[in-house]
Amino acid sequence: MTIEEIKTLSALEIGKAIKDGRTSSREVTRAMLDLIREKNPAVNAYTYIAEEEAMAQAEQADADIRSGKLTGDLAGVPIAIKDNICTKGMITSCGSKMLYNFLPPYDATVIRKLREEGMVILGKTNMDEFAMGSTTETSYYGPTLNPWGEDRVPGGSSGGSAAAVAADLAVVSLGSDTGGSIRQPASFCGVTGLKPTYGTVSRYGLVAFASSLDQIGPIGRDINDVAAVYNLICGIDEKDQTSTETKKLDLEAVKNFDVKGMKIGLPEQYFGEGIDKDVKDVVMQAVKFYEDRGATVETFPMPIVDYAIPTYYIIACAEACSNLSRYDGIKYGYRPEGVDDLMELFIRSRSEGFGMEVKRRIMLGNFVLSSGYYDAYYNKALQAKALIKKAFDEAFEKYDVVIGPVAPTTALKCGESLSDPLKMYLGDICTVLINIVGLPAVSVPAGFDSNGLPVGMQLIGRHYSEQTLCGAAAAFQRENDHHTKRAQDKEVK
Amino acid sequence: MAEYEMVIGLEVHAELATKSKIFCGCSTKFGGDPNTHVCEICSGMPGTLPTLNKSVVEFAVKAGTALNCEITRRNKFDRKNYFYPDLPKAYQVSQLYFPICRNGKVEIRTDKGTKFIGIHEIHMEEDAGKLVHDPFTEQTLVDYNRCGVPLIEIVSEPDFRSADEVIAYLEKLRDTLQYLGVSDCKMQEGSMRADVNLSVRPVGQTEFGTRTEMKNINSLKAIARAIEYERERQIDLIEAGGKVTQETRRWDDDREITYAMRSKENAQDYKYFPEPDLMPIVISDEYLKQVEDNMPELAEAKKERYMNELGLPEYDADIITGSVKLVGVFEKTAEICGSPKDASNWIMTDLLKLCNDAHIAVEDMEFRTESLGEIIKMVSDGKINRKTGKDVLAKAFAEGVLPEEYVEQNNLAQVSDLSAIEPAIKDVLANNGKAVGEYLAGSEKNFGFLVGQSMRALKGQADPQAVRSVLQKLLDEMR
Amino acid sequence: MEITDELIEYLQQLGRIRLTQEEQEKTKKDLGSILGYIDKLNELDTEGVEPMSHAFGRTNVFREDVVTNDAMVDEVLSNAPEAKDGCFVVPRTVE
């Protein structure tokens, strides 16, 4: 098969073609690597391209498929991995100078599972440093560009994983989502992303940003691929005591999901002030689709949204400042030469190894935890968390799915938000609440704004309702073609 | 000079005797080459997560129950954040907001009588690594073998007024934790460590004076000396018109002084917050009952039982129950030989002497628990005599020989077969005509001499009772 | 709230970070606006609300007390900037 043919296929279709002998993992992997080599310098979606490892894995996958050892839907299919997920023997830098040379001696649980299923790791994708950002501009490896417009950011922090799929440099990828880091770049890049329920996917081997919020999830061209990858990575893990027993999705039921009778709630605050009109219109149009297909739609007030950003940044920065304290120049990562004083070693390793956004969040985290401020900030945020959970519990008594935009805007211009961190933080208004209470959410391409940039719709469900969410997304994608549109096609036009 | 009173509170760290570390599957074994009991988790690699060891909670609850504490029903772990090379994650997982045990008390006994010491709280946490200063360079080497070994920290109320009370309390804690099997409490290996918070105040004053903290003193003797020194130092300071500074001091056991440690850059702000990577622990009624039902008999109760039910003298009962190791040997020995009194006699006279002569602490002796019982049984069954028994014990103690096998292989079994004894004694009588003659003439004391000669001829392996009766029979026949 | 130079200095100390003069000025301004926004949380009535550290009800997740790891010194030290005699090396620590 040629790369042009491969590019038209979904991950599940590639998997089937390999199994049917119409192509091989080797052929697909080779073609993708060639394309990455050609196109990545412009997009900068990858920080590391795993040429040799991928080809070796592909050969092994072909052999194991022939011998009947591998029988899964995605055996032999290539995948791209966000650079904060530990891969044994492959640099895992988190987009930071601090870990520019870090070679994990172990695989993350999700990587072990993907390998066992014969998925081929193409390489590691670019991200905001330590996943702190919404633009993939804070990476030590330079910014990733959005295939939909070279002056546009791909979103973040999983910008590399989303841009790689959008630019055909991967058919599926893994990202991580702490406050929107899968959903928002998926939205900006016109691809589909799932942030699973907290605990359904093991975090073992995901370099921690904020432990109570982080979750790994898949990004792909359509929801069926995303659901298929989710099935491979979900499940309880004895190495992560916050993980839970999880039912795998019924992929056939996802594909054929009927939204008739589904109750949809629209939080007023998700369509209020600060949300672009184009974004609102596109999402409302998509909601109309559900209504037309027999779902009931109702708007409801959710005033707690106003406190989303403060609560999120307090909790996220507090946990981050603790999680990032281990980078001290002693055990791994960056260490300046010739420092002979211990305190100096700590300070210089960290001051030179971390970028400005990471330092800012470390300082913010230290502030909200320090004695004298703990109660007013951190403890208050934990109280707000309880109220947010209550608000969602009440919403889900009435609705099966809550729908809103993923982000207030479409992809921003490069450099726009770097100078004003508060403005960047405010862009997370629609996504962070979900992480605070651990809910699942899907980002689905819903249309385009007046500049031709993709707009994402966010479907939010109860804990462990991935089956319903993916089904609702599949129902939309069955009859709408926004997710099939490609930036590359736009260029041709 | 005013009369001063000393006020002391203790923070005792005890390493729990679990097989694996608190949050990973690495061994807790003491010693080993640097970083050989270390994995990606306890070395704080990016992306790793802790997994809580079930036994840690069980051991902590056991300790709290034995120390009369209230057990916290809903527990959480917290992170204590600070930078130091012995702490690879730069935070220690500990418990601040919900410690597992609270409000306990321990009865101690000193020359001045008995007294209760309050336990403020007990919490679970992880140990840090070890720093070794390289003498040849300006560098420090970091070894994480101890990193992640589970600890309980037992925080007392400031209830101590003398070094004697402190020592009595530490001995009591050590005995209790050892009896429970939750810690081996070896101070020299650092598995039990005490931080001493000490202040002085004029007698009659109710508010506390300014305290100093002395960290990680590693023997009971050193603790007693450090307390005396620090008391004197603080009183001298106050008498001279000075003020005690609140600080951390280190005890130098060679110079017998305490000195102030270089104070940290600024007051520590540990930024405690709930550990998000671990789920809360809920202690149920059933769990508590199970722990209570399975509590082993502790020293006091054991001592009473040894005296009242087994008839041991108080002195013996006291010595034996003072050491978990001896209790183990005693109970096994009594079980095998069937006589607690014999068991205690042999331990008190023979086994302890062997330890003493070999300069081995009782806790450190590597003595097969069954051996003493087997020896005593051989003696009481008449298979060997007491003298041989002592020799075999010495061998078993020093070389670990198996008693029965050793007796067998070295033909030490006592000759009680009369047909084997008689010819030998006949020879003795034939060779000692003079003594025999005098005996027959009425000199009774010659009987003893002839017994001795017979025993020697039988290489000491004959049952003395049998020798006497055969000898008597043969002599009677000669009258 | 007002962000003082002392607070910026203290936060650098807590995080073992040293900013340039210029970065300090910028940070002062940024933290000021961020904390200004965060203070909005004070408007939220949380009277009597139990702080929620864990959003999920799961409790008592344990590992059995079993030793599963063999020595792996090479892997543990494989990323160390400086190692010697099986140990990580740091500048001399002083007490």
Side-chain angles (χ1 to χ4, degrees):
Chain A
M1 264 187 197
T2 65
I3 186 66
E4 290 313 316
E5 287 170 281
I6 292 167
K7 272 159 68 174
T8 65
L9 301 179
S10 72
L12 284 166
E13 286 163 346
I14 292 174
K16 189 154 189 312
I18 294 173
K19 217 181 288 173
D20 294 348
R22 282 179 285 138
T23 183
S24 64
S25 177
R26 198 189 138 79
E27 188 175 60
V28 173
T29 304
R30 184 70 267 157
M32 303 235 44
L33 286 170
D34 289 345
L35 194 63
I36 291 168
R37 225 172 356 181
E38 181 194 332
K39 297 271 174 75
N40 190 59
V43 185
N44 198 28
Y46 284 86
T47 56
Y48 176 75
I49 302 162
E51 287 264 2
E52 283 174 28
E53 301 96 315
M55 287 315 296
Q57 241 197 309
E59 302 236 358
Q60 186 63 48
D62 282 332
D64 290 345
I65 291 165
R66 274 198 304 274
S67 73
K69 206 169 132 197
L70 282 176
T71 56
D73 291 340
L74 296 174
V77 177
I79 186 167
I81 307 293
K82 187 176 181 180
D83 202 26
N84 59 351
I85 299 173
C86 285
T87 40
K88 188 171 181 173
M90 250 180 238
I91 296 230
T92 299
S93 76
C94 291
S96 180
K97 180 180 177 184
M98 184 57 94
L99 289 178
Y100 76 105
N101 59 356
F102 176 59
L103 271 175
Y106 73 102
D107 269 334
T109 296
V110 292
I111 298 299
R112 176 177 59 73
K113 289 184 168 194
L114 292 181
R115 287 192 203 276
E116 282 166 9
E117 290 290 334
M119 287 202 85
V120 174
I121 296 166
L122 288 171
K124 306 299 289 286
T125 56
N126 204 8
M127 55 185 283
D128 280 298
E129 185 180 6
F130 281 101
M132 295 177 178
S134 328
T135 63
T136 315
E137 290 173 294
T138 67
S139 170
Y140 177 57
Y141 298 92
T144 296
L145 299 184
N146 190 328
W148 289 91
E150 284 181 6
D151 58 339
R152 300 287 169 165
V153 300
S157 65
S158 312
S161 287
V165 173
D168 288 329
L169 304 186
V171 61
V172 280
S173 61
L174 288 189
S176 71
D177 192 316
T178 305
S181 282
I182 288 174
R183 291 160 288 159
Q184 186 255 24
S187 169
F188 281 15
C189 292
V191 294
T192 304
L194 166 66
K195 183 263 159 196
T197 305
Y198 186 80
T200 56
V201 178
S202 168
R203 290 183 295 118
Y204 192 78
L206 171 66
V207 179
F209 161 11
S211 315
S212 73
L213 308 168
D214 296 342
Q215 192 63 181
I216 294 172
I219 295 174
R221 284 176 198 154
D222 69 33
I223 193 67
N224 295 312
D225 280 359
V226 164
V229 175
Y230 170 78
N231 267 359
L232 299 191
I233 59 174
C234 70
I236 194 164
D237 178 13
E238 59 180 22
K239 287 171 176 283
D240 175 2
Q241 292 191 338
T242 65
S243 70
T244 44
E245 197 50 70
T246 313
K247 269 219 318 253
K248 286 196 193 300
L249 303 177
D250 178 340
L251 296 183
E252 275 305 301
V254 165
K255 220 159 114 186
N256 303 314
F257 191 86
D258 185 355
V259 298
K260 190 156 184 257
M262 192 171 81
K263 285 175 275 177
I264 295 173
L266 308 177
E268 265 168 35
Q269 282 73 6
Y270 273 17
F271 296 88
E273 215 186 314
I275 311 289
D276 270 9
K277 185 170 178 307
D278 281 6
V279 170
K280 258 187 259 187
D281 291 348
V282 166
V283 174
M284 284 313 291
Q285 193 61 40
V287 168
K288 177 123 194 327
F289 162 84
Y290 286 115
E291 213 169 7
D292 291 347
R293 292 294 174 276
T296 61
V297 177
E298 197 178 288
T299 303
F300 72 102
M302 204 177 191
I304 199 79
V305 171
D306 290 346
Y307 306 100
I309 302 283
T311 306
Y312 171 77
Y313 276 92
I314 290 171
I315 293 174
C317 293
E319 292 180 16
C321 88
S322 172
N323 284 329
L324 269 64
S325 290
R326 69 184 63 196
Y327 306 106
D328 56 9
I330 296 176
K331 300 150 305 239
Y332 35 69
Y334 176 75
R335 173 182 192 156
E337 295 278 328
V339 179
D340 56 8
D341 176 82
L342 183 65
M343 182 58 88
E344 260 321 274
L345 178 71
F346 287 152
I347 292 175
R348 282 194 49 201
S349 298
R350 294 169 62 77
S351 300
E352 295 166 24
F354 289 137
M356 198 54 221
E357 180 58 29
V358 172
K359 288 179 200 165
R360 184 156 41 231
R361 295 200 196 193
I362 288 173
M363 289 174 74
L364 192 54
N366 273 307
F367 174 76
V368 299
L369 287 178
S370 60
S371 64
Y373 295 107
Y374 180 90
D375 285 335
Y377 289 91
Y378 188 73
N379 210 46
K380 180 88 178 174
L382 292 187
Q383 290 176 308
K385 176 178 176 175
L387 294 176
I388 293 165
K389 175 144 195 303
K390 190 159 158 269
F392 274 108
D393 285 348
E394 284 167 8
F396 287 121
E397 274 170 25
K398 288 190 275 180
Y399 313 114
D400 300 312
V401 174
V402 167
I403 294 183
V406 176
T409 65
T410 52
L412 301 169
K413 287 217 164 96
C414 296
E416 221 172 68
S417 59
L418 271 186
S419 55
D420 187 352
L422 178 59
K423 193 175 158 196
M424 178 167 79
Y425 297 176
L426 294 178
D428 299 338
I429 183 85
C430 304
T431 46
V432 293
L433 285 178
I434 279 70
N435 300 79
I436 293 170
V437 288
L439 298 170
V442 182
S443 170
V444 182
F448 297 85
D449 73 357
S450 49
N451 293 319
L453 293 170
V455 174
M457 158 175 66
Q458 183 174 211
L459 309 176
I460 304 163
R462 299 182 184 98
H463 288 137
Y464 313 110
S465 69
E466 279 81 357
Q467 182 76 41
T468 306
L469 283 185
C470 291
F476 184 79
Q477 295 188 337
R478 240 175 12 232
E479 298 189 56
N480 293 278
D481 63 356
H482 310 297
H483 65 287
T484 64
K485 297 273 174 21
R486 313 296 264 282
Q488 294 84 320
D489 303 337
K490 192 176 102 175
E491 280 166 15
V492 175
K493 271 187 260 168
Chain B
M1 184 171 130
E3 282 275 327
Y4 284 89
E5 171 182 66
M6 184 164 52
V7 176
I8 296 174
L10 290 185
E11 289 161 23
V12 175
H13 286 90
E15 281 185 352
L16 298 180
T18 54
K19 297 182 200 75
S20 64
K21 291 186 177 180
I22 183 167
F23 297 128
C24 65
C26 285
S27 168
T28 55
K29 223 169 161 188
F30 185 76
D33 286 338
N35 293 306
T36 50
H37 300 158
V38 176
C39 68
E40 69 262 21
I41 298 171
C42 55
S43 64
M45 289 264 181
T48 57
L49 296 170
T51 54
L52 178 59
N53 181 340
K54 197 178 195 173
S55 298
V56 171
V57 178
E58 186 193 321
F59 285 12
V61 171
K62 267 189 183 170
T65 305
L67 300 174
N68 309 300
C69 294
E70 295 161 14
I71 306 298
T72 306
R73 294 313 187 90
R74 194 175 169 83
N75 277 270
K76 280 179 196 169
F77 282 99
D78 300 295
R79 289 187 186 177
K80 178 182 184 178
N81 297 281
Y82 64 95
F83 289 89
Y84 209 60
D86 63 3
L87 195 64
K89 299 190 298 289
Y91 58 81
Q92 178 191 34
V93 178
S94 179
Q95 294 188 292
L96 176 75
Y97 297 107
F98 300 94
I100 186 134
C101 315
R102 278 190 269 225
N103 299 331
K105 61 178 183 206
V106 180
E107 191 182 24
I108 59 163
R109 201 179 309 154
T110 63
D111 296 345
K112 301 226 171 77
T114 61
K115 168 174 179 174
F116 280 103
I117 301 295
I119 305 276
H120 181 73
E121 68 168 63
I122 302 176
H123 58 258
M124 303 177 277
E125 60 186 27
E126 55 181 334
D127 208 348
K130 196 172 86 177
L131 303 177
V132 180
H133 303 294
D134 186 335
F136 303 108
T137 64
E138 279 300 298
Q139 288 180 321
T140 295
L141 303 179
V142 189
D143 170 12
Y144 293 137
N145 276 350
R146 303 315 290 163
C147 206
V149 171
L151 296 173
I152 47 174
E153 179 173 342
I154 305 167
V155 182
S156 84
E157 300 292 351
D159 288 346
F160 304 95
R161 297 292 176 267
S162 71
D164 282 353
E165 290 178 1
V166 169
I167 301 304
Y169 169 81
L170 288 172
E171 283 174 342
K172 180 75 178 257
L173 272 193
R174 186 188 59 196
D175 288 353
T176 306
L177 298 182
Q178 286 178 343
Y179 269 86
L180 294 173
V182 306
S183 174
D184 59 17
C185 293
K186 291 184 179 170
M187 291 195 85
Q188 69 281 10
E189 287 182 7
S191 64
M192 180 165 152
R193 315 190 284 260
D195 299 344
V196 180
N197 290 296
L198 186 153
S199 64
V200 296
R201 63 183 174 191
V203 171
Q205 181 181 309
T206 47
E207 62 268 30
F208 295 134
T210 306
R211 66 190 160 84
T212 60
E213 184 180 13
M214 294 184 284
K215 275 198 178 293
N216 291 347
I217 318 173
N218 64 2
S219 76
L220 292 179
K221 277 181 195 152
I223 286 173
R225 285 199 297 266
I227 288 173
E228 283 314 318
Y229 174 88
E230 185 59 15
R231 187 180 81 98
E232 298 280 316
R233 191 188 70 85
Q234 290 189 12
I235 293 173
D236 289 351
L237 201 60
I238 294 167
E239 286 290 312
K243 267 192 178 151
V244 176
T245 330
Q246 184 167 345
E247 63 191 357
T248 303
R249 300 180 68 83
R250 186 168 282 267
W251 170 249
D252 183 331
D253 207 29
D254 296 328
R255 293 192 291 160
E256 300 206 346
I257 57 162
T258 66
Y259 60 93
M261 288 166 69
R262 199 181 80 161
S263 61
K264 301 269 162 67
E265 295 350 272
N266 42 51
Q268 292 277 17
D269 189 340
Y270 291 121
K271 300 172 291 170
Y272 280 97
F273 74 101
E275 164 60 280
D277 288 329
L278 293 166
M279 291 304 195
I281 305 152
V282 175
I283 307 286
S284 66
D285 289 345
E286 296 76 53
Y287 186 93
L288 265 192
K289 186 165 184 311
Q290 213 181 343
V291 169
E292 275 161 20
D293 289 350
N294 290 311
M295 282 298 259
E297 185 183 35
L298 296 179
E300 305 269 302
K302 225 180 244 302
K303 186 179 156 191
E304 290 297 312
R305 183 167 64 85
Y306 284 1
M307 287 161 60
N308 299 336
E309 289 178 27
L310 306 181
L312 262 52
E314 182 174 0
Y315 181 76
D316 294 14
D318 204 45
I319 296 284
I320 291 172
T321 56
S323 150
V324 179
K325 188 91 179 194
L326 279 187
V327 165
V329 172
F330 169 73
E331 296 195 345
K332 195 77 202 173
T333 303
E335 181 196 321
I336 293 173
C337 76
S339 163
K341 275 192 164 164
D342 280 353
S344 131
N345 284 336
W346 277 77
I347 287 172
M348 297 299 292
T349 50
D350 300 296
L351 190 60
L352 291 183
K353 184 168 185 305
L354 286 168
C355 283
N356 238 335
D357 293 350
H359 302 290
I360 290 174
V362 171
E363 296 306 320
D364 294 335
M365 75 178 170
E366 285 178 22
F367 180 67
R368 184 171 157 271
T369 332
E370 294 82 2
S371 290
L372 181 57
E374 290 166 4
I375 291 168
I376 300 176
K377 188 161 189 312
M378 283 191 282
V379 173
S380 56
D381 287 354
K383 190 172 174 193
I384 55 173
N385 61 33
R386 194 177 156 86
K387 163 86 178 49
T388 308
K390 286 186 178 208
D391 295 344
V392 177
L393 177 60
K395 278 280 179 192
F397 182 84
E399 296 165 29
V401 301
L402 298 174
E404 282 166 3
E405 199 180 287
Y406 182 76
V407 164
E408 197 78 21
Q409 284 168 359
N410 295 281
N411 296 317
L412 300 178
Q414 147 169 286
V415 185
S416 48
D417 181 356
L418 295 187
S419 61
I421 294 174
E422 216 172 289
I425 296 182
K426 275 185 176 158
D427 283 352
V428 169
L429 295 182
N431 295 334
N432 290 280
K434 185 161 171 275
V436 172
E438 284 172 15
Y439 172 78
L440 293 174
S443 174
E444 286 287 334
K445 70 175 192 305
N446 283 25
F447 186 74
F449 170 77
L450 290 169
V451 170
Q453 290 301 308
S454 303
M455 286 302 285
R456 186 179 302 160
L458 288 159
K459 299 200 187 78
Q461 289 172 26
D463 175 358
Q465 210 47 51
V467 169
R468 296 177 82 92
S469 71
V470 171
L471 189 60
Q472 192 68 63
K473 189 191 86 182
L474 291 175
L475 286 169
D476 287 351
E477 284 170 9
M478 293 169 81
R479 281 184 203 273
Chain C
M1 74 170 284
E2 202 212 337
I3 311 294
T4 60
D5 290 339
E6 289 71 35
L7 181 61
I8 293 292
E9 175 59 34
Y10 183 56
L11 295 180
Q12 290 179 74
Q13 267 180 29
L14 278 183
R16 299 292 189 268
I17 284 168
R18 187 184 295 138
L19 301 179
T20 64
Q21 195 56 45
E22 197 184 328
E23 287 169 335
Q24 288 187 36
E25 287 308 317
K26 171 92 168 67
T27 302
K28 215 166 124 178
K29 194 172 127 264
D30 289 342
L31 283 191
S33 62
I34 293 165
L35 286 171
Y37 183 79
I38 282 179
D39 279 341
K40 194 181 163 73
L41 201 52
N42 292 330
E43 299 163 11
L44 181 65
D45 181 7
T46 54
E47 186 69 37
V49 177
E50 186 70 24
M52 178 182 273
S53 58
H54 297 72
F56 288 77
R58 288 208 324 139
T59 56
N60 295 0
V61 189
F62 298 117
R63 170 178 61 80
E64 294 300 322
D65 181 21
V66 181
V67 176
T68 52
N69 299 341
D70 292 326
M72 47 180 285
V73 196
D74 292 346
E75 284 101 318
V76 166
L77 293 175
S78 62
N79 283 285
E82 196 179 346
K84 185 177 167 184
D85 302 338
C87 292
F88 297 93
V89 177
V90 295
R92 194 173 174 80
T93 54
V94 194
E95 276 164 357

